[in-house]
Amino acid sequence: MSRSTRIERYRNIGIMAHIDAGKTTLTERVLFFTGRIHSTGEVHDGSTEMDWLPQEKQRGITITSAATTAFWSPRHGPSAGTPHRINILDTPGHVDFTIEVERSLRVLDGAVAVFDASQGVEPQSEAVWRQADRYGVPRIAFINKMDKVGADFVMSLESIRERLGARAVAVQLPLGEESEFRGLVDLVRMKTLHFDGEAGEYREELSVPEDVRQRAETLRLRLIEAAADVDDAVMEKFVDGRLEDITEEDLVRALRAGTLSRTLVPVLAGSAFKKKGVQMLLDAVVDYLPAPSDLPAVEGLVPGTEQRASREPTDDSPPAALVFKMMSDKNVGNIVFLRVYSGTLRAGTVLLNPATGKRERVGRLMFMHANRREEVSEVHAGDIAAALGLKNVRTGDTLSDPEAPVVLESLGFPEPVVHLAVEAKSPAELPKLEEGLHRLAAEDPSLRVGVDPESGQVLLSGMGELHLEVVVDRLRTEYGVEARVGQPKVAYRDTLKRAVRQEYRHVRQTGGPGQYARVVLDVAPAARGAGLVFVDDTKGGSIPRELVPAIQ
Ligand code: GDP
């Protein structure tokens, strides 16, 4: 297998889950087993390697999509012994950050969906699953927390089938559940893995224990049926009743084809926390998830035309890359995360950003590992890398060969739903506030910054309260601006208008002239405070000018 090309040994994956299903813990364990970090801290004490921003550590949630490179050589099967590069794009689980999830889904090739074994499919797992469907992302599932009270493999498997409508195919059977969880039966190889120590050690046995043999055989038969549906060779052996002739290679090939065509989802189990089952999951990432070369050439438009263009994932085609994430760093400035779709990008070369029509020089290029940055002179088709030195790019922009320009399909950004007014504590802080907001908005297209023409307030609009809370936090920690926040006056005025209108109608229905006084007394002071203009009303009261047409 060592004859495979570089790009065939790449896996660009995301780990997606409902919040608290264990995505961060699993990511950390993956980095532990791939040898990139040597000790694993627990999530709650804020020492996770994947998390970047201080507030992520404080909150114990993962907000940004950092990309991390790790290496893994599968121990069995067709890719045994060949090192594979696994680029992990961390996808946030909080519902306010689904936009970040979309962004990662756009650039990754496959995903591991993590479920809590005691919960099965949860609302957010369903939301992210549907997003992954939209982007056509092949998936494998990991039923985590098999050690937890209430862990139930069969329930979780069924919930993936029923709630997500996926053809979930168990490729493992857990030995025991909750505190009894002690191993896994590998249904492809029909071997048993017993977990033996605290650091993920296991020992392999050729046989399957008697008490689970029946269940394992039933599940294996289901696996073979699913494999037969996507692979003719397996189908032939299956219909001839030659089950013993179906080899491990046959099943891996068929499951891979089924995963890539999204007709089935291989399901694995384990406990990230107890380091059980993580190595087997890494094997499955290599065996079942696509390499960039398995996917069709990326499509785009020739700028300024309706003409479509495609770019092959090869090193010698014209370079084209998509900016999917930007972060700022005090020491190095903008860190621009790129997915390279085609060609070779070299440090120091000039690329075109068709969104601005400007040429930009790529300063330095690097791969992000869990605990270090690795500077390289070039990156290639299939790579996920970070570039420094780019000034005028935004998330969603394409960088392409100036001689063969292309605009890759950008990311869709929904309209923000939550608004907040921010104000610098002193006029002296205003430039810093503006600078901070400008940079944060370039990083995050789901964040809008604007000035309300009537009130003059600076308004932030975003995907949820937590989203904006994080922005305000980052203004403080990264830009040293203590911003005062409040509800925008616009929204306040709208609420007030509604209140006045309601009160007015009530008065019209129940009282005669003179009752206007009540309206005025009840709501006028607040309305005045909100900047509404009052006019004299001949019937004896005064009502806001803006409301006159609305209530008559
Ligand atoms: P995320 O929100 O999906 O990133 O989840 P975290 O990795 O932060 O985990 C949420 C909580 O579940 C933490 O308290 C973890 O220690 C715990 N947890 C993660 N994996 C496991 C597991 O395999 N078993 C048990 N019992 N707890 C786990």
Side-chain angles (χ1 to χ4, degrees):
M1 167 72 196
S2 51
R3 290 185 55 222
S4 61
T5 63
R6 178 190 60 78
I7 202 167
E8 286 166 15
R9 300 191 302 268
Y10 273 36
R11 300 292 179 273
N12 291 324
I13 64 159
I15 299 180
M16 51 189 237
H18 183 95
I19 194 159
D20 268 357
K23 181 173 47 63
T24 312
T25 311
L26 179 65
T27 306
E28 197 178 63
R29 297 316 193 219
V30 163
L31 298 176
F32 170 79
F33 282 108
T34 53
R36 294 287 126 184
I37 53 176
H38 302 291
S39 68
T40 47
E42 296 314 327
V43 181
H44 36 257
D45 68 19
S47 57
T48 321
E49 292 278 345
M50 277 293 281
D51 293 349
W52 282 66
L53 303 169
Q55 65 269 38
E56 287 183 309
K57 301 196 174 189
Q58 284 162 17
R59 289 163 202 264
I61 56 169
T62 311
I63 293 162
T64 53
S65 268
T68 308
T69 297
F71 293 92
W72 183 249
S73 297
R75 297 139 322 135
H76 311 287
S79 308
T82 310
H84 284 66
R85 175 187 279 257
I86 303 180
N87 291 318
I88 306 157
L89 288 130
D90 191 26
T91 53
H94 193 280
V95 76
D96 274 4
F97 301 103
T98 50
I99 183 72
E100 295 259 7
V101 179
E102 297 248 353
R103 196 179 298 176
S104 329
L105 288 172
R106 169 70 178 80
V107 294
L108 52 77
D109 302 325
V112 176
V114 184
F115 300 91
D116 179 328
S118 68
Q119 305 293 322
V121 173
E122 294 175 86
Q124 279 167 35
S125 24
E126 199 168 338
V128 207
W129 190 271
R130 305 282 170 230
Q131 283 176 310
D133 279 343
R134 271 211 309 283
Y135 286 87
V137 177
R139 268 149 281 175
I140 59 179
F142 183 69
I143 299 182
N144 187 33
K145 304 200 187 182
M146 281 307 305
D147 63 306
K148 191 180 158 189
V149 175
D152 187 336
F153 180 72
V154 173
M155 176 280 289
S156 300
L157 185 67
E158 288 306 322
S159 79
I160 299 175
R161 290 200 181 118
E162 281 160 23
R163 292 193 52 185
L164 304 177
R167 184 162 190 189
V169 179
V171 295
Q172 293 176 338
L173 171 67
L175 281 181
E177 288 172 340
E178 306 181 337
S179 60
E180 299 294 304
F181 176 55
R182 60 191 188 281
L184 292 164
V185 178
D186 175 340
L187 298 170
V188 174
R189 300 163 62 234
M190 274 313 243
K191 301 218 163 103
T192 308
L193 309 162
H194 294 277
F195 297 115
D196 265 351
E198 293 300 305
E201 300 94 332
Y202 63 92
R203 122 189 99 73
E204 200 169 283
E205 228 170 54
L206 296 179
S207 61
V208 175
E210 267 321 304
D211 55 331
V212 295
R213 174 162 279 282
Q214 186 66 44
R215 270 181 79 198
E217 278 174 0
T218 310
L219 282 176
R220 187 165 201 266
L221 197 60
R222 279 215 205 171
L223 190 163
I224 292 174
E225 281 168 6
D229 282 348
V230 287
D231 188 284
D232 290 345
V234 178
M235 178 59 99
E236 235 166 74
K237 294 178 187 176
F238 180 62
V239 293
D240 290 351
R242 290 183 290 127
L243 294 193
E244 65 288 351
D245 287 354
I246 299 176
T247 63
E248 177 190 343
E249 280 72 26
D250 280 340
L251 289 179
V252 172
R253 183 187 63 243
L255 289 170
R256 178 175 184 81
T259 310
L260 263 55
S261 62
R262 290 182 293 119
T263 40
L264 59 84
V265 176
V267 180
L268 296 94
S271 163
F273 187 70
K274 302 256 174 180
K275 301 199 185 87
K276 292 178 178 174
V278 181
Q279 303 99 313
M280 298 83 203
L281 176 66
L282 283 162
D283 284 356
V285 165
V286 170
D287 283 341
Y288 306 132
L289 292 179
S293 47
D294 289 316
L295 302 166
V298 68
E299 291 269 323
L301 283 177
V302 178
T305 73
E306 297 286 301
Q307 218 180 312
R308 293 201 73 78
S310 66
R311 292 282 180 270
E312 296 292 333
T314 58
D315 293 354
D316 46 13
S317 45
L322 188 74
V323 175
F324 68 94
K325 174 89 196 157
M326 285 187 53
M327 299 178 104
S328 40
D329 182 291
K330 275 204 194 76
N331 304 314
V332 291
N334 280 344
I335 305 177
V336 175
F337 285 86
L338 299 168
R339 160 75 198 248
V340 185
Y341 281 95
S342 68
T344 302
L345 260 63
R346 293 189 178 83
T349 51
V350 171
L351 293 172
L352 177 74
N353 178 359
T356 59
K358 294 214 170 85
R359 290 175 187 226
E360 289 246 19
R361 188 171 168 279
V362 180
R364 293 154 65 194
L365 289 167
M366 45 193 66
F367 291 126
M368 301 300 198
H369 300 278
N371 53 357
R372 67 198 168 92
R373 295 168 181 176
E374 175 197 2
E375 187 151 359
V376 288
S377 57
E378 53 185 47
V379 294
H380 304 266
D383 272 326
I384 299 223
L388 306 184
L390 294 161
K391 296 205 173 53
N392 291 306
V393 294
R394 293 177 69 98
T395 300
D397 285 355
T398 302
L399 291 171
S400 77
D401 186 337
E403 306 309 321
V406 67
V407 182
L408 300 178
E409 209 174 299
S410 188
L411 311 138
F413 298 109
E415 283 302 307
V417 290
V418 173
H419 312 276
L420 199 67
V422 286
E423 207 181 305
K425 275 230 164 105
S426 69
E429 289 218 316
L430 191 61
K432 268 205 294 184
L433 175 76
E434 284 174 351
E435 155 81 6
L437 287 176
H438 176 74
R439 278 172 167 263
L440 292 172
E443 275 181 30
D444 175 1
S446 56
L447 172 71
R448 307 271 168 86
V449 181
V451 176
D452 180 64
E454 284 183 49
S455 66
Q457 281 184 311
V458 177
L459 299 184
L460 299 184
S461 307
M463 305 315 297
E465 274 165 27
L466 187 56
H467 181 200
L468 294 185
E469 218 178 285
V470 169
V471 171
V472 173
D473 244 31
R474 290 189 63 189
L475 280 174
R476 184 169 51 77
T477 51
E478 292 170 37
Y479 298 93
V481 187
E482 286 288 345
R484 255 200 297 262
V485 298
Q487 285 308 309
K489 286 189 183 156
V490 184
Y492 181 49
R493 210 156 50 208
D494 285 346
T495 319
L496 208 69
K497 272 191 209 170
R498 264 198 303 279
V500 174
R501 211 172 291 154
Q502 232 170 22
E503 189 74 5
Y504 182 81
R505 286 211 184 95
H506 179 71
V507 167
R508 289 264 284 219
Q509 280 158 14
T510 56
Q515 294 280 356
Y516 287 109
R518 239 186 73 201
V519 180
V520 176
L521 281 179
D522 287 354
V523 292
R528 241 184 235 111
L532 296 181
V533 185
F534 279 70
V535 289
D536 273 333
D537 182 273
T538 48
K539 287 176 192 145
S542 73
I543 52 170
R545 185 198 299 278
E546 286 180 59
L547 290 177
V548 175
I551 59 179
Q552 279 177 347

